[in-house]
Amino acid sequence: MDTANSPAPDRHVYLKYCGHIAVMTGKIGEAISIAGLNTISELISKLEEKYPGFRGVFVPPGGVFNSRTAIICRRVGQVSFNMINLEERVEEGDILTFW
Amino acid sequence: MSYGWKGKILRVDLAKKEASKEDLPEEWMKKYIGCRGINDIILYNEVGPDIDPFSPDNKLIFGTGPLEGTPVGMGRVSVQTKHPKRFIGEGGAGGDWAPELKFAGYDFVVIEKKAKTPVYLFINDDEVEVRDAKELWGKDTREKKILVRDKTGIPDIKVASIGPAGERLVSDAKVIFTEDHAGGRGCGTIMGDKKLAAIAVHGTGGVSIKDPANFLKAYREFRKILDLKETIDVFVPSWAFFSAHTMLQGFSEVGQLHAYNAQRGRINNMLIPEEYLTRHVVRPETGFCCPYPACGRRFEIKDGKYAGASGDEREGGFAYCAPIVGITSWTTILKWRELCSKAGIDQFQVVYSIAWAMECYERGIITRKDTDGIDLKFGNDDAFIQMTQKIISRDGFGDLLAKGSQEAANIIGKGSERFLLTIKGRELELMPQRNGYQMALALAVCENGPDHTKWYPPYPPNPRALPKDITVPFDPFKAFQTRSPEDKGRLVKWLYDSRAVIESLPSCVFVVRGILGVDMNLWLDLYNACTGENCTLDEFIRKGERIVNLERAYIVREGFRRKDDTLPRRMLEEPIADTYIPPIGKNLDVMLDDYYRHRGWDIESSIPKEDKLRELDLHFVVDDFRNLGIV
């Protein structure tokens, strides 16, 4: 089979929303494509388009990223960790919990 | 007059059915702040190592502090005794019982001796009476409350009572204050041993504040820190608006649930907090002046086999218990909450004891023959409820678990002790260890078993969000690295000392959020404005350090040493199966050395050194240690 000219496979992450974040999104979880996205900052911007105000909650104006929120990343083969850097990479299959 | 204080201790001799009042020593107010701190000195002075926990000479102390009766006190009471396992049995509870005691004119109640037949204590301002309680005995805590109200004719009287678990001397029974506020693991057991069914309080006084203007100014700042828009703490939205259950998901993701007796860090089909909030919660139900409406909630089960079960639920603690035994049903866990509250039994003793038995059952160490025919597998809802009822009634296998899982393992043997989740013989209280080294250390060194409230909350706020003008006696960036032993000694010392201050004011450690957990200046402003003291920040923290050292001295006098400051074997030796998180291993020893060094305690034994005790003006402890041949 010739795969050289096939489009790159779509990549997905699964997102979970807790408490007041679930109120903002109206759901407690969803799968989402991260095609063309590399960092958590870019993913948050994408979510801002779906849920206006989303970015401001996690990156308060003039404030520190995740100073009053948390994003927990579960990644295959690794201990879960808190995302504290906006340039943190997101990867295919990550389970990200927005709290 | 003493501002903040009423200045009175009420002593009650149950054998003679007599009560007397005495002045609260001013030296104690200055050295030990109040509440937990003054309870400590009373227990240290009056219940020595020669006194058996079930002796009539053991005492039961209910304490408030200078800020109780103000909004900052939040209804907190500290109840204390010598625990059946000989360490300090102490616990705080909220509600509205403690402010009522202050309004009646007392800061402390010391219960002495034993009654021959069941009694209850009636306090109505100056009127104090030990009354017959035959009608109350055998009733659950809610029935007792209603009966006391009927018998006294005072509809808004506040009642602290024990349930059937305390009456039957289940090892960690609690005291239940008014609306399902529980406190003092083991204190309910000693209250039952003294045949004291309840303490009913009604007061009509108030609390005087020395400098109301500055107190109000500090209190406004206090509330501002807890505001969602101002906070630098991820826990504030959960606690203030959506209930602590919302954190279940986050805790599961980081693998810090004690699922299946802490064999795993997560559970499939976990309880969904939104289901609880939408289906079962009726209204918020918090304690006196609590600023967090979501911390306490009234629930009712409307349909199904547990229809009609109801109660008050706090801090999310019950939902976090569900994974320990593999339960995934809200109605089961809420029914269980009702059972525990009405029985006055400690939910942690029950859930960890049953989880230990479940693991033993699944590994074939015990069989249906041992469990009275119950199929005691993880996730079996009916078995969980049935075994809880058996523990409360001390029936069959339940009688064994009512002694606590450590003692049950001693009796059963066959290697079952391998699966215990106990510290100093007492069951854990949810807190993770393998992925939270500060919590592991704090649990190991706790003077009253694995009590999480003595150092809670364990997290510094996000260190990058910490205001630059706040200095802390530890490295907040290292402290935030939860699976490194580095700098945890200084962090845990700070947590213990600062929380000892807060619990002795008293206030509730569950509102210690944002900078309230790292900057003690606001607490100091509240204390000084209320009492008229001119205490400095160093002196303030030193009072907390003194309280912790006195508590350590108490358990040293009872024979506890470094070997007892340890963790369950599972935490030290086993990884969390589904999370890639390794066991703690020798990191605990590294952290213990660090902690004792910063404390000024002997590293080999954990005994406070003489120069540290003298520095803290605890000269009498030095004398005691010498007289008892401890040093």
Side-chain angles (χ1 to χ4, degrees), chain B residues 208-249:
Chain B
S208 297
I209 292 172
K210 173 71 175 176
D211 184 349
N214 272 323
F215 187 84
L216 189 58
K217 184 181 167 195
Y219 183 64
R220 284 187 173 135
E221 184 64 25
F222 179 86
R223 292 299 296 261
K224 193 176 162 194
I225 290 169
L226 298 176
D227 188 281
L228 182 61
K229 289 180 184 166
E230 303 283 341
T231 187
I232 54 167
D233 194 323
V234 64
F235 287 84
V236 167
S238 307
W239 237 276
F241 296 98
F242 290 93
S243 92
H245 295 308
T246 57
M247 300 181 306
L248 258 173
Q249 187 80 63

Side-chain angles (χ1 to χ4, degrees), chain B residues 262-427:
Chain B
Q263 294 178 90
R264 299 185 200 171
R266 303 187 180 106
I267 182 170
N268 293 331
N269 304 317
M270 199 181 59
L271 299 175
I272 302 294
E274 284 74 11
E275 180 192 335
Y276 172 62
L277 293 169
T278 53
R279 284 193 60 199
H280 305 299
V281 171
V282 179
R283 62 174 184 272
E285 191 77 62
T286 58
F288 181 84
C289 291
C290 174
Y292 281 173
C295 187
R297 290 158 303 274
R298 182 80 184 165
F299 68 84
E300 287 175 12
I301 301 178
K302 297 178 186 69
D303 46 34
K305 66 179 172 180
Y306 298 132
S310 65
D312 290 355
E313 197 279 335
R314 296 177 211 297
E315 313 151 19
F318 279 77
Y320 292 91
C321 289
I324 300 169
V325 282
I327 297 296
T328 57
S329 154
W330 273 110
T331 52
T332 300
I333 211 69
L334 292 174
K335 173 63 184 175
W336 181 67
R337 160 64 173 169
E338 184 195 60
L339 278 175
C340 290
S341 187
K342 288 165 82 170
I345 200 165
D346 176 56
Q347 74 271 21
F348 298 122
Q349 180 196 344
V350 173
V351 75
Y352 281 101
S353 295
I354 293 179
W356 165 81
M358 284 175 165
E359 187 167 351
C360 291
Y361 182 82
E362 292 199 347
R363 290 177 183 273
I365 294 171
I366 57 175
T367 66
R368 271 183 193 254
K369 271 188 183 173
D370 301 295
T371 62
D372 310 323
I374 294 175
D375 185 25
L376 204 57
K377 284 181 180 162
F378 285 110
N380 185 338
D381 294 44
D382 290 341
F384 180 52
I385 295 293
Q386 284 170 25
M387 194 51 71
T388 300
Q389 289 166 326
K390 278 180 164 286
I391 294 172
I392 293 166
S393 58
R394 303 204 68 150
D395 172 45
F397 191 69
D399 183 53
L400 187 66
L401 296 184
K403 300 173 196 294
S405 53
Q406 176 97 54
E407 197 163 332
N410 292 342
I411 293 167
I412 287 177
K414 303 180 196 171
S416 61
E417 67 281 358
R418 178 80 177 79
F419 312 112
L420 286 170
L421 294 181
T422 55
I423 297 174
K424 296 184 176 74
R426 177 190 257 181
E427 291 76 14

Side-chain angles (χ1 to χ4, degrees), chain B residues 12 14 17 60 62 79 97 111-122 129-149 151 158-169 173-178 187-201 341-344:
Chain B
V12 180
L14 293 178
K17 297 190 177 181
L60 185 65
F62 295 80
V79 53
W97 187 90
I111 305 293
E112 304 179 340
K113 306 299 180 185
K114 290 184 187 183
K116 289 196 177 86
T117 56
V119 295
Y120 77 98
L121 178 61
F122 173 69
E129 198 179 334
V130 178
R131 294 181 171 179
D132 178 76
K134 285 195 188 79
E135 286 176 57
L136 302 182
W137 207 252
K139 299 288 192 292
D140 69 41
T141 57
R142 293 183 195 170
E143 292 168 331
K144 280 191 175 85
K145 185 172 70 179
I146 293 166
L147 277 169
V148 167
R149 285 177 180 173
K151 285 165 81 78
K158 309 299 188 263
V159 181
S161 69
I162 55 169
E167 294 174 5
R168 293 169 187 147
L169 309 185
K174 284 179 164 178
V175 183
I176 306 294
F177 296 86
T178 53
C187 294
T189 315
I190 299 302
M191 193 160 157
D193 184 54
K194 292 183 177 299
K195 290 199 163 44
L196 179 61
I199 304 178
V201 185
S341 187
K342 288 165 82 170

Side-chain angles (χ1 to χ4, degrees), chain A residues 16 68 77-78 80 97, chain B residues 229 238 247 253 266 462 580:
Chain A
K16 295 182 178 180
R68 66 182 67 150
Q78 290 188 24
S80 300
T97 301
Chain B
K229 289 180 184 166
S238 307
M247 300 181 306
E253 288 305 313
R266 303 187 180 106
N462 184 336
Y580 313 102

Side-chain angles (χ1 to χ4, degrees), chain A residues 24-95:
Chain A
M24 178 181 284
T25 59
K27 58 185 78 164
I28 59 174
E30 64 181 327
I32 194 165
S33 165
I34 53 168
L37 305 180
N38 291 308
T39 65
I40 188 66
S41 180
E42 291 166 352
L43 176 60
I44 289 171
S45 293
K46 179 169 180 170
L47 293 168
E48 169 72 20
E49 292 169 15
K50 287 182 79 174
Y51 313 115
F54 195 91
R55 189 172 181 89
V57 171
F58 289 89
V59 192
V64 176
F65 171 51
N66 271 345
S67 57
R68 66 182 67 150
T69 47
I71 302 172
I72 299 160
C73 177
R74 190 183 344 165
R75 183 171 293 161
V76 173
Q78 290 188 24
V79 175
S80 300
F81 61 94
N82 270 303
M83 290 198 158
I84 55 172
N85 183 343
L86 274 168
E87 298 310 307
E88 196 87 58
R89 292 187 65 80
V90 288
E91 295 185 5
E92 164 82 28
D94 282 353
I95 300 172

